[in-house]
Amino acid sequence: KYLAVICKAASDYTREIFHKLREREYNSELMRLYVVGGGGCMIQNFGDYDKDRVTIVRDIFDFANSS
């Protein structure tokens, strides 16, 4: 019961993130999205997104050193 409420809240939150991005002209067909930071875990676990167009950077230091 509680888990369902938490999962729905997390899913709604990630949906709102993508809604806000689209309001600012993010177009997943034209742009690749890099998510850096704690929100990436939420998006990865609860978001509905094109996994081929979104890169979630879990370790910013490792990512920076590999570039």
Side-chain angles (χ1 to χ4, degrees):
K1 173 178 164 179
Y2 296 111
L3 181 59
V5 171
I6 292 167
C7 289
K8 181 175 181 335
S11 179
D12 290 348
Y13 177 74
T14 58
R15 191 172 15 265
E16 182 66 20
I17 290 171
F18 281 100
H19 176 73
K20 292 290 185 185
L21 287 169
R22 284 190 297 277
E23 281 183 347
R24 288 161 178 80
E25 301 183 13
Y26 166 69
N27 181 336
S28 63
E29 293 179 9
L30 300 174
M31 301 172 189
R32 181 163 193 80
L33 179 65
Y34 288 84
V35 180
V36 179
C41 291
M42 293 286 290
I43 291 171
Q44 187 173 29
N45 293 310
F46 299 101
D48 180 23
Y49 63 97
D50 182 353
K51 292 170 180 50
D52 293 330
R53 304 291 304 153
V54 176
T55 299
I56 297 174
V57 179
R58 298 185 68 138
D59 185 347
I60 186 63
F61 297 109
D62 188 42
F63 182 74
N65 289 328
S66 68
S67 297

